[in-house]
Each structure stands twice: as structure tokens, then as C-alpha cells.
Amino acid sequence: MWLIATAVKCPLRRRFDYQVPEALVATLSPGMRIRVPFGRRETIAVTLDAPRRVDDGGTARAYRPLGEVLDDAPLLDTELLASLKWAADYYHHPIGEVVAAALPTALRQGEARNAAEQPWLHITAAGRAVIDTIARRAPAQARLLARLAEGAMPRSEAPREQAKALLERGYCEQALPAPLATPPPPEPGAPVALTAEQTAALAGLPWAGFGVTVLQGVTGSGKTELYLRRIADDIAAGGQALLLVPEIGLTPQLLERARERLGGAVIGYHSAMTDSARLDAWRRVDAGEPLLVVGTRSAVWLPFRRLMRVCVDEEHDVSFKQQDGFRYSARDVAVVRARAFDAPVVLGSATPSLESLHNASTGRYQLVRLDVRAREAPGARLHVVDARGQRLRGGLTPDLSRALQRHVADGGQALLFVNRRGYAPALLCHDCGWGASCRACDARMTWHKRRGRLLCHHCGAQQAVPESCPACGSATLRAAGHGTERVEEHLRTLLPEARIARADSDAMQRAGAWDTLRDEVLSGAVQVLVGTQMLAKGHDFPGITLVGIVSVDQALFSADLRATERMAQLVTQVAGRAGRGARAGEVLLQTHVPDHPLLRELLDDGYEAFAASLRAERAAAALPPARPLALLRAESAAERAADAFLEAAAGVLRARGAEALGPVPAPMMRRAGRYRAQLWLQADSRAALQQALAQACVEIEALPAARRVRWGVDVDPADTL
């Protein structure tokens, strides 16, 4: 009997074996899609190994036979399949869900690998003649015929059973589409002149061969130009390159700049693209076309054939870590894939992560610095505004309000960073203290005034704003705290003649909204821009002369292990948006704790000194990056079930040599109606921690308590909340 191991998209940490007919043994190899029975349904699986012969011992009926083979050759080549297996092992996640993450939706549903191989259905004369007569006995077939009478359609989009029946009866036929003529791509542009410092930094970036370089450059120092210089050479040599960015909002401007330099050899890949556009990009990469892919996290799984370089822009950004389900780090996976291709990696940032700085200090990575802005720009002066005892209007101190008025009056532009969207983080009763809380989460609901709704930013629940206090009936309901909407509302009073624009996930939902806003800021039509973290990353607005950071106090006292690191990165990145043009910039940071030691060190000595102190502090506490960390997270509908499961899991992990601290409630214990808890897992080395987890996960999945919870492993967590 022949069996083949497959990956099926499901939450079980195992492979699924299917029986292979003798006639198909020679045609199957790892990385191919097959249709298989799974439970009471059919699904598409991916083969993980070649067929193997086993002694059935009379148990052949225990294995279900596979169905249709969808590929003539492996869809996932040896390198990509090996990288996916590595990710499943390293992040301790079900292999079926890991493999599914690497495929566009259409390929997971059985679409042909190449557009030219995708057959289309065409109605025949016989089919047109029977549309009306078969409607009573076969209405589904009649509906499909009526659809085909309007025009041909891909077979993958037609119902399988009905299409098969119509083909057998000769009512339709299938044929491959004619190739489409494509317009010639734009011609590449000329590179810009490099500064002396850029030239020296470029010499430090390797031409070829695996190695990881941390390119630490101040904002505006020209890191992108160095990426494109090396990538242009790779594409000229017939290779492929990957440029990862943390946010979809950064992709359009990088695509535009890359296309100015590289012509048509540039494509995007991110979740805002349609399924068909993502499939088209996947196919171009799979075909080995020489090009640069500019993409977000999921682009790291594209089927590169000749990957010659990987660049990760803003490599410190938390967006590179998937925060639920398959919790992988795109930055770290990119390094693994580059090693397989023997390709160099560049990790660029003005504020490198502590992990990257640690690897540079130990010699695993090399460090290249850019300390001067590429364009002659005066830069910005940073001042701390002590908010203690001051009357805040719209969240702004008098000092920040006057600075806004002064800069706008002088013809400058201003950017205000606010760490919360909505109108106010809480709605409270002034008489009795009642607060609008989410019924499903341990969190206040945020008041979105423009929508007239209270929203929970954790589970998505919403409700109408009450006219009076539900507890005491008082009409004195007050907004507590300041979100982007409330700051924007105050600015319209403070600066009535100025054009104010808001940039947060609420305001940027419409397709093309960010592109329109960016053009308006660059043209000077917008004088004040108010927004959240999306404004801190990579945007070049030369007209910005004032940056105001409304508050960093929450990060200074957060329960999250990485909160202070992110605060420092955010302050440095946001401050870098000012003074990029011909005029000097000014940065005002409001805080109620101006003497906080970490904040003072950041402001007085800079990010590098701050990061060194924080790394020493983490090492003394045996925390990352000095010592590896993983979290075992669990959640359940019953209050004690997650704790009971984690207590049992802790025993298994300790027996395997891991240090298991907890279980402890998550900082937000209840979210979306489920109770959450976690274990902190550490060991003396990464290898020891991985070994303990690999052995323990099999036993943990078999625990009776595991059936009553959702659980998962988070290796190298980006947050501990």
C-alpha cells in the first residue's frame, strides 16, 4: 500500500496520510495540491513528502484514498516547502495552517497555477438549445448554462458537479484562453546622486552571499536609495528581490519611487489588493520574472525562484509579527529564506529593534550607519512640555497650542500624533462615576462622536451612546481622554482658517484615501495633520515644521514588556517627520512625567544610548533579547478552563526542561467574551526552549483540558498583553 503525507488546513498539529492509487505513485511529489476527503467534506491538501510504501497489515481501509491531483508539478518548490516546515516547527503551529498562509485564496480553492493553464467553459449550440428544457429536472445546470450563454467563465469559478455534468452531455466545452497582449513597461529612470556618507554605507552593503546587515540611518538619511541601488543590480542580473514594509499605507509611495527607478520590474503584494491581483503577482514571481516585490508581511511567502536580495524597511516595527493564529515574524522568516538562497539581507531602521542590535553586538549581524540626512535639512529641535498642572484643551497644553498657531501663521505645516482613535477613550457619568464598558471585554468602550456610537476596539462590539446615565439617570455624561476625533474638533476651533485632516484607520477606510491625503499634504493644501501610528513610519513630508506628540505617558507605565522600547522608537520616528525641508523643525512632547529616567535618557542621549541601557536592563532580568521567551496562550468561555489547561500544560513543559511561570491572567483577562491566561516560557538557550516545546506540544494537545480551550504558542512574542 502506498501512502502520502499531506498538510490540511485545520487546527490539528499533525499531518494526514492518504492512500495513493498505484497509477499515481510516479506522478506525485512534495508540494503538489490534491483534492482529498476530510471529515464529511472535500478539501484541498498539499503533499509534504513523496509517496511511501507501507505494509498495510490488513488495515488498508483505515486510510482514505486521495481524490483529484490538481498540479502537474510541485506548486511549492523544495526551498519554499522546507521554509514552511521550518516555520511550523519553530513557531509550533499546525502545518496545514502554515502552508495555507503561503497561498493566495484562489490557489487554496483549486485555481490553476498559471493563467494560461486555466480552462474556460464555453456554451455549445446543444447547450443553448436545452437551457429552457432542463430547468425543471436540473435547475442548477440550467442556471450555469444561462450564465455561460452570457459569456465564457473560468472553470474554477463554476460549480464542480454541474460543470462536469454539462461537459459530459456536450452542453458546454472547455478551452484555454488566448494570451493577452500586455503594454510595454515604463523605462527605468536615472539614479539620484549619493552623498559621501551614502556612498560609504553602500560600500558596506554586500553585493551577494548570505549575511545580515543592520542599516541604522536617521530619518531622511536615504536608506531607500541604498536598497534600490543594490536591487537594480540584482534585477539587471535576472534576479528577484523583496522589499518588506510594515504598513499597507507605505506601499504606494515606495512602489511609486521604485517604479521611477526600476520601470515595470516592480509589483506590490499586500492584503488590500484583490484576490485576482494577488494571484497575478504570485504567478509573476512563480514564473521567475526578474522583479522587485514591495509588500507587507504576507509577501515573505511568495514563491521566489531566484531571490538575490531581501530588504526589510522599518525592521523594528511590530506589524511584521502576526498577532493571532499563525504568529510568525516576517522579518525573521525573511532571514531564513534569504539564507536558503544565499542572498544578503538588509534590515533598515532609524530605531533598530533590541534583537537586531543584540545580534549586531554579538557579531551575527554587521552594522552600517547613516548619521546625516541625505538632503541638506536643518533638522528639528525637541522640547519636553511639562503638562502637570496645566489646563488642557482638546488634549493640548497652552505651549503646544501656541506653537501650532505660530507655525501655521508662518506658512508651515504641523503633524499631531495621538495614540488613540475615536473621540474619547471613555464615556463617564460626572455624578455617579458610571463608565461605558464593553459587555464582552474588560475594557472601556471608545466614544466615536461622528458615528454616534460606542465601540470596543478589542472585539468590535458597538452600541448607541446613551442619552442619560444607565446607573443614576443623570444627563451629565462626559468624555474622558482624547482621541483623534476630539483633537481634530478642537483644532478646528483653535485654527479656524486652517485645513485640518485626520489620518487613522477610521478616516482611511476608503480605497485611495491615503494616497489622496498624502498628495494634499505634499501640495500644502493641508496645514495640520492629526493621526495615529500610521504617521510615524517612513513618510516624507518636507513642509512639516512642527510635530506635536500629545502624550507618551501610557507607554511609560504599560504592563507590556516591550512598551518602553516602542515608546522610544515612536518618539524618534515621529520626531523625524519634522525639519525635512528647507525650514527648521520643532518637536514638542507633552508628558506628566518629564523626569522619567528612560524618557530623559532618550531625549538627552538619543536612541542608541537608550537602547544600550534597556538591553543591559533586560539582560540583568534574564529577558529578551538576552534570553529567549515564548508564551503559551489560552482562552475559554468558562472562567477557570484556561487556567486549568495551563496548569496541566505547565507540568508537561517543566518535565521537558522549560521554565514555566504562571499561569497568570492576561493583562486584559476577558476579551470578546472569552477568558484569557498565559504561561511565560524560558530556557537557558533558544535550542533548549525549542526542544522542550517540540516535545511538549504533542502531549499538551492530547490533554483532556485542551479540548475545552483555544490555545497556541507565541515564540518571540511582540507583546505580552
Side-chain angles (χ1 to χ4, degrees):
M1 177 175 65
W2 291 89
L3 296 179
I4 193 162
T6 70
V8 177
K9 188 177 186 297
C10 74
L12 299 177
R13 289 167 172 77
R14 51 165 291 194
R15 303 174 173 202
F16 292 88
D17 287 336
Y18 286 90
Q19 190 173 350
V20 182
E22 195 83 32
L24 293 180
V25 170
T27 65
L28 284 172
S29 56
M32 297 174 69
R33 292 173 299 164
I34 57 176
R35 202 177 297 278
V36 297
F38 192 73
R40 297 181 180 179
R41 61 185 174 91
E42 275 194 343
T43 190
I44 292 175
V46 175
T47 59
L48 295 174
D49 299 303
R52 66 188 190 280
R53 187 158 203 156
V54 297
D55 181 7
D56 62 13
T59 64
R61 292 182 181 177
Y63 295 96
R64 303 175 77 177
L66 62 83
E68 180 184 5
V69 179
L70 301 180
D71 299 311
D72 296 329
L75 187 74
L76 307 177
D77 68 8
T78 302
E79 176 278 323
L80 181 51
L81 191 58
S83 295
L84 289 164
K85 290 178 180 179
W86 171 87
D89 291 341
Y90 183 81
Y91 294 107
H92 303 280
H93 196 77
I95 182 66
E97 294 188 348
V98 172
V99 170
L103 297 176
T105 302
L107 293 178
R108 295 202 301 268
Q109 296 173 346
E111 181 91 7
R113 174 182 195 155
N114 298 316
E117 297 174 358
Q118 170 66 27
W120 284 56
L121 296 178
H122 303 260
I123 193 169
T124 62
R128 291 184 186 277
V130 299
I131 290 178
D132 297 328
T133 59
I134 70 168
R136 178 173 295 180
R137 58 186 172 83
Q141 292 180 30
R143 286 193 296 271
L144 179 55
L145 276 177
R147 166 65 181 81
L148 291 174
E150 298 173 358
M153 67 183 297
R155 181 171 180 179
S156 62
E157 296 180 8
R160 290 182 61 230
E161 294 302 322
Q162 286 73 36
K164 181 180 178 183
L166 294 178
L167 285 166
E168 290 174 349
R169 290 170 171 78
Y171 295 156
C172 72
E173 59 188 7
Q174 66 181 32
L176 297 178
L180 297 175
T182 56
E187 290 295 321
V192 300
L194 296 182
T195 66
E197 190 183 36
Q198 283 179 305
T199 301
L202 184 65
L205 301 183
W207 284 93
F210 174 72
V212 183
T213 302
V214 179
L215 179 59
Q216 182 175 4
V218 299
T219 55
S221 59
K223 297 183 289 295
T224 304
E225 178 60 31
L226 301 194
Y227 305 154
L228 295 178
R229 287 277 178 140
R230 285 285 184 255
I231 289 169
D233 295 332
D234 299 330
I235 293 175
Q240 298 172 316
L242 172 63
L243 173 54
L244 286 175
V245 294
E247 297 280 0
I248 292 172
L250 289 178
T251 344
Q253 67 188 64
L254 267 176
L255 279 171
E256 180 182 338
R257 182 168 176 186
R259 284 169 177 156
E260 288 174 356
R261 290 291 311 284
L262 305 175
V266 182
I267 61 173
Y269 195 84
H270 52 78
S271 59
M273 296 166 61
T274 64
D275 287 343
S276 61
R278 284 164 66 89
L279 178 60
D280 181 64
W282 190 97
R283 284 169 168 162
R284 290 183 65 182
V285 175
D286 182 55
E289 192 175 326
L291 46 75
L292 163 66
V293 179
V294 179
T296 51
R297 189 172 54 228
S298 59
V300 78
W301 299 116
L302 285 168
F304 294 100
R305 299 301 172 192
R306 195 182 175 193
L307 185 63
M308 295 184 68
R309 190 170 310 274
V310 173
C311 300
V312 184
D313 198 34
E314 310 292 357
E315 66 86 22
H316 66 278
D317 199 281
V318 68
S319 299
F320 286 122
K321 181 71 187 287
Q322 176 74 26
Q323 296 293 352
D324 52 21
F326 174 28
R327 295 174 178 264
Y328 69 94
S329 164
R331 178 196 64 194
D332 297 344
V333 170
V335 172
V336 171
R337 293 203 67 190
R339 181 188 290 115
F341 281 94
D342 195 29
V345 180
V346 179
L347 305 180
S349 176
T351 54
S353 64
L354 297 192
E355 283 74 16
S356 294
L357 290 174
H358 174 76
N359 285 330
S361 70
T362 57
R364 292 187 62 196
Y365 296 174
Q366 72 162 332
L367 180 65
V368 173
R369 299 179 58 91
L370 279 169
D371 295 322
V372 180
R373 288 184 169 181
R375 293 194 301 260
E376 290 188 8
R381 305 179 308 278
L382 198 153
H383 306 287
V384 173
V385 177
D386 187 349
R388 292 176 296 184
Q390 298 209 48
R391 185 177 182 183
L392 304 183
R393 293 183 180 273
L396 311 183
T397 59
D399 285 348
L400 182 51
S401 296
R402 285 191 292 269
L404 281 164
Q405 292 171 320
R406 184 177 70 253
H407 279 262
V408 171
D410 290 344
Q413 292 174 297
L415 183 155
L416 279 185
F417 172 78
V418 185
N419 64 354
R420 291 181 183 273
R421 60 189 174 96
Y423 187 77
L427 182 67
L428 303 176
C429 175
H430 186 63
D431 290 340
C432 75
W434 170 87
S437 298
C438 179
R439 298 185 182 94
C441 303
D442 293 334
R444 299 285 193 190
M445 299 196 82
T446 300
W447 180 17
H448 286 250
K449 188 175 181 180
R450 290 195 176 184
R451 296 195 214 175
R453 308 289 289 175
L454 294 170
L455 271 66
C456 176
H457 288 177
H458 303 282
C459 72
Q462 55 179 293
Q463 63 190 55
V465 179
E467 294 182 359
S468 59
C469 174
C472 72
S474 170
T476 55
L477 297 178
R478 303 283 177 82
H482 298 84
T484 49
E485 282 185 23
R486 193 175 187 186
V487 174
E488 179 191 19
E489 181 182 84
H490 171 69
L491 288 172
R492 296 192 187 283
T493 303
L494 180 70
L495 302 164
E497 303 299 324
R499 168 88 183 278
I500 315 294
R502 177 163 52 91
D504 56 25
S505 57
D506 295 327
M508 296 291 107
Q509 289 182 352
R510 181 175 51 83
W514 174 252
D515 291 342
T516 300
L517 177 59
R518 183 168 61 93
D519 291 342
E520 290 176 340
V521 175
L522 290 172
S523 69
V526 169
Q527 283 76 52
V528 183
L529 186 58
V530 182
T532 53
Q533 293 192 26
M534 64 171 60
L535 295 179
K537 304 166 185 177
H539 304 297
D540 187 5
F541 297 133
I544 298 287
T545 56
L546 173 67
V547 168
I549 303 173
V550 173
S551 179
V552 296
D553 295 351
Q554 184 181 12
L556 292 173
F557 300 102
S558 171
D560 184 13
L561 168 68
R562 301 183 184 274
T564 51
E565 175 186 356
R566 289 196 195 135
M567 177 276 297
Q569 291 164 342
L570 184 65
V571 169
T572 306
Q573 294 280 345
V574 173
R577 302 308 115 201
R580 298 169 75 99
R583 298 174 57 181
E586 185 177 9
V587 180
L588 298 184
L589 190 158
Q590 291 185 165
T591 177
H592 286 83
V593 283
D595 298 322
H596 191 288
L598 286 174
L599 183 59
R600 289 282 16 135
E601 182 168 26
L602 173 66
L603 300 178
D604 294 342
D605 302 324
Y607 179 78
E608 191 170 2
F610 170 90
S613 294
L614 193 54
R615 281 179 49 217
E617 182 181 301
R618 295 267 191 89
L623 291 171
R627 202 159 183 253
L629 172 68
L631 298 180
L632 183 62
R633 302 178 186 264
E635 60 177 51
S636 62
E639 186 171 357
R640 282 287 304 153
D643 283 340
F645 162 74
L646 290 175
E647 285 168 1
V652 174
L653 285 155
R654 289 170 186 142
R656 295 297 184 181
E659 297 174 19
L661 305 178
V664 295
M668 181 181 292
M669 187 173 74
R670 191 171 61 102
R671 185 167 69 186
R674 301 182 68 84
Y675 294 88
R676 306 159 62 237
Q678 56 196 25
L679 284 174
W680 281 51
L681 307 174
Q682 291 192 275
D684 288 335
S685 68
R686 192 172 299 278
L689 181 58
Q690 283 290 329
Q691 183 178 4
L693 282 167
Q695 295 171 344
C697 279
V698 177
E699 297 179 51
I700 290 171
E701 191 168 48
L703 291 171
R707 293 192 288 271
R708 295 189 286 274
V709 301
R710 295 175 188 162
W711 67 278
V713 180
D714 189 357
V715 177
D716 305 327
D719 66 57
T720 53
L721 296 178

